[in-house]
Amino acid sequence: MRLRRTWGRRRTGLLALGAAVLLSGCGIRTTSVPVDAGAAPSRVPCTVPGEASATGVQSGVPLRVYLVCGAQLDAVERRSPLPEEKAAGDRVRTASALLAQLESEPSDEERRAGFATAVKGPLVVSAGRAGDPKGTLRLSRQPEDLPPTALAQIVCTFAESAAGEPGGSGAAADSVVLGGPGPYGPRRYSCTTELKERPESAVPSSPAGR
């Protein structure tokens, strides 16, 4: 009986040793400590095939909007039916056209490339009120009440277009002054690299200067 138990223990040890040898032979290092390999890499391409060539043959004003792809913000090229002569120099018209593009569902090609939008209507943009800093745009909802990803899309899209041109000296680049329908003063929202990488985080903002 004692001999059988000794052989059983030896057999178990040999099996464990054999498993370790096989794992090391496959290039897998055994460890008793859990390893955090990080998030799984995104498999979506985030590139619309033929995007550049398609925009060259379509009519309308070329627009650049930020959509969500792979949990980040990525820009796509669109065309607005707004006549160019009406869009030129009119920040509110430009912002309205951009907002309409953000609210619209991605095309079949964009969906296949992994794009989506968090901006849901109805949402309207208008000019600032008397006493607002120059260049202010007001939304029909308070910016801070919007989902963070939706606000990040709006801020980056507006900031990197004619709608987000700095309104005064010393204004930060890649920013836009936004307010809402309430009696609250507008704030300057910035589109940063970190925001594009993590659009679900709070959008950087600061008090808007006069």
Side-chain angles (χ1 to χ4, degrees):
M1 180 64 70
R2 182 175 300 175
L3 180 61
R4 182 177 299 175
R5 289 178 181 175
T6 303
W7 166 244
R9 286 195 295 268
R10 289 180 178 177
R11 183 180 180 185
T12 302
L14 288 173
L15 288 174
L17 179 60
V21 171
L22 286 175
L23 287 174
S24 61
C26 294
I28 301 175
R29 180 178 298 176
T30 60
T31 176
S32 59
V33 181
V35 177
D36 183 7
S42 173
R43 294 180 181 274
V44 292
C46 295
T47 301
V48 180
E51 182 180 59
S53 59
T55 57
V57 297
Q58 294 177 350
S59 60
V61 179
L63 298 175
R64 188 169 185 259
V65 300
Y66 276 92
L67 300 181
V68 184
C69 189
Q72 297 184 351
L73 294 188
D74 217 323
V76 299
E77 302 297 329
R78 295 272 187 86
R79 285 273 172 170
S80 169
L82 185 67
E84 292 195 33
E85 61 272 14
K86 290 186 178 181
D90 194 327
R91 297 179 66 254
V92 176
R93 282 183 178 270
T94 300
S96 296
L98 291 168
L99 188 58
Q101 293 292 329
L102 289 172
E103 290 178 330
S104 64
E105 290 297 323
S107 65
D108 292 341
E109 291 80 7
E110 289 168 345
R111 280 196 298 270
R112 284 194 290 269
F115 287 100
T117 183
V119 182
K120 306 298 180 183
L123 195 59
V124 179
V125 60
S126 58
R129 303 169 182 165
D132 283 347
K134 183 180 178 181
T136 296
L137 296 171
R138 285 199 174 255
L139 301 173
S140 55
R141 292 179 61 187
Q142 287 296 132
E144 60 270 19
D145 291 341
L146 295 172
T149 300
L151 181 57
Q153 284 184 251
I154 294 171
V155 167
C156 287
T157 298
F158 283 5
E160 296 187 6
S161 72
E165 290 178 351
S169 59
D174 294 336
S175 65
V176 60
V177 179
L178 294 177
Y184 311 105
R187 296 182 65 83
R188 181 173 295 278
Y189 293 85
S190 301
C191 177
T192 63
T193 301
E194 291 77 13
L195 181 63
K196 293 177 183 179
E197 294 175 350
R198 297 182 179 273
E200 77 284 353
S201 60
V203 181
S205 67
S206 60
R210 296 292 176 183

